[in-house]
Amino acid sequence: MPETYLVTGGAGFVGSHLVLALLARGDRVVVLDDLSTGHAAAVPEGALLVRGRIGDREALARAFAHGPFRAVFHFAALSLVGESMREPYRYMAENAREGLALIEAAVAHGVRRFVLSSTAALFAAPGTIPIPEEEPVDPGSPYGESKAWLERALLWAERIHGLRSAALRYFNAAGADPGGRLGEDHRPETHLIPRVLDAAAGRGPPLTVFGDDYPTPDGTCIRDYIHVADLAEAHLLAVEALADRSVRYNLGNGTGYSVREVIAAAERVTGRAVPHVIGPRRAGDPPVLVASSRRIREELGWTPRHPDLETIIAHAWAWRQAHPDGYGREEAALCGGPDRR
Ligand code: UDP
């Protein structure tokens, strides 16, 4: 039986890939997004787009009027570590306020399952690498702090109202839909892989490597890059697990790559040089973040289909080459109107 889901931030990078996966199995999807960072053109055909902020009660009411929803997936948030170090109070206030408003509305509308996009930024200086779920939460930035709060808020929503939740701590979401329908388009783009690819394509300035004096083998930061389609799959599994209990999972491939290794892999994939310079460290960046995904593999049978870094980069490159303006062209072709089916 098709089910109906609410996806906040469904016009964004990870959210839009989940919408695609839900629609592919025949479910109905309502996207709530204010398009502040997302793109109407990224909302796959067949989903209903409700434009508005989560913190706006009228927008929430418009979205929930399309329910009842089997589950709410909450992607919409401010999500940049570096920016959160410059605007700490905006990050903590907005992410907490909007997340709490959504949790409250979900409870009020009888929703029983809630999936939170959480983050590797919960762990500033992990004692164990790859990082297991038992690692104490110790955020390295106001962004990470805001997600830690929402994880805590969901514990209370379960204790008080019985709302089951999954907190999925994404490590570095990357890649693009293997079918080429969706990709990554942030404005401005701050993430490593799209910036590396733009440098390779000569579309942007040379890449600045943020620090090469970290305590890692080549001095650059190590991250765990995970294919966005594998992340979407993890959401589908997590929402089923909520039939029995609430869950918290760290989500990555379990393999870390340094910034230099990402550059080298991109050069192999694209056959082009990646012009780059070494710059200062970016505030808030821990040297190494690699996930242990053993728990979700064992408990839910999640297996990444695209764990290979070159495949992740190849999918991102294919989309970017086909869409040099990102969603710009499709966006211009979309007729306005507040909501869209
Ligand atoms: N990075 C970099 N230059 C850039 C963008 C990112 O050296 O132009 C580094 C960044 O310091 C981090 C890694 O690449 O070590 C991944 O950064 P990204 O912003 O993609 O993701 P984050 O780890 O912050 O979620």
Side-chain angles (χ1 to χ4, degrees):
M1 249 252 304
E3 301 277 3
T4 306
Y5 294 95
L6 177 64
V7 181
T8 75
F13 176 45
V14 186
S16 61
H17 284 78
L18 173 70
V19 174
L20 199 62
L22 289 167
L23 293 173
R25 60 178 206 181
D27 289 321
R28 286 188 293 263
V29 182
V30 177
V31 168
L32 174 59
D33 200 304
D34 67 358
L35 303 182
S36 57
T37 56
H39 308 275
V43 177
E45 192 81 38
L48 174 74
L49 170 61
V50 174
R51 289 182 64 162
R53 292 185 68 85
I54 297 164
D56 171 3
R57 286 186 183 275
E58 185 271 329
L60 270 182
R62 255 188 305 130
F64 277 95
H66 296 286
F69 298 119
R70 180 168 184 249
V72 169
F73 294 93
H74 180 36
F75 293 88
L78 301 171
S79 65
L80 301 175
V81 167
E83 190 176 64
S84 83
M85 298 296 281
R86 295 191 297 277
E87 300 178 66
Y89 309 110
R90 179 165 83 97
Y91 260 70
M92 290 188 284
E94 256 186 52
N95 283 353
R97 190 177 54 233
E98 305 235 326
L100 292 174
L102 181 66
I103 294 168
E104 191 178 7
V107 167
H109 288 87
V111 173
R112 312 293 299 159
R113 302 176 191 213
F114 193 101
V115 181
L116 173 71
S117 297
S118 190
T119 174
L122 296 187
F123 309 109
T128 311
I129 301 247
I131 307 170
E133 286 78 2
E134 294 76 22
E135 181 69 29
V137 168
D138 170 26
S141 61
Y143 164 63
E145 188 69 42
S146 70
K147 293 290 182 169
W149 290 351
L150 289 181
E151 288 200 8
R152 296 284 313 166
L154 285 168
L155 295 179
W156 288 105
E158 178 164 27
R159 278 182 206 156
I160 298 170
H161 293 116
L163 178 68
R164 293 250 173 88
S165 64
L168 301 182
R169 287 95 169 247
Y170 314 153
F171 281 56
N172 288 68
D177 168 42
R181 292 160 293 184
L182 298 172
E184 183 167 11
D185 180 1
H186 295 109
R187 318 246 174 134
E189 186 53 76
T190 63
H191 293 106
L192 181 65
I193 290 178
R195 277 194 171 181
V196 163
L197 295 178
D198 278 350
R203 268 193 294 270
L207 176 84
T208 300
V209 175
F210 296 146
D212 68 349
D213 57 351
Y214 283 96
T216 60
D218 68 18
T220 64
C221 283
I222 293 178
R223 294 288 181 274
D224 183 342
Y225 296 89
I226 174 167
H227 197 292
V228 65
D230 289 330
L231 272 184
E233 185 65 32
H235 287 73
L236 301 184
L237 295 171
V239 85
E240 299 312 318
L242 296 181
D244 304 325
R245 65 196 190 288
S246 290
V247 292
R248 306 272 173 273
Y249 293 119
N250 293 353
L251 270 176
N253 281 310
T255 310
Y257 294 96
S258 71
V259 175
R260 285 192 200 280
E261 287 173 323
V262 169
I263 293 172
E267 289 183 334
R268 290 192 296 276
V269 168
T270 62
R272 306 190 189 186
V274 175
H276 60 278
V277 296
I278 308 296
R281 291 183 178 195
R282 184 175 66 178
D285 270 345
V288 182
L289 288 175
V290 178
S292 164
S293 297
R294 199 165 56 86
R295 190 188 282 182
I296 188 168
R297 288 172 196 258
E298 285 180 4
E299 292 186 0
L300 306 190
W302 177 74
T303 312
R305 282 187 215 180
H306 312 286
D308 172 51
L309 179 64
E310 289 192 21
T311 306
I312 293 172
I313 293 175
H315 290 164
W317 177 242
W319 191 80
R320 201 68 194 158
Q321 289 295 86
H323 302 83
D325 307 332
Y327 288 108
R329 208 160 298 166
E330 287 108 309
E331 206 84 325
L334 276 180
C335 48
D339 298 347
R340 179 175 71 84
R341 198 183 288 276

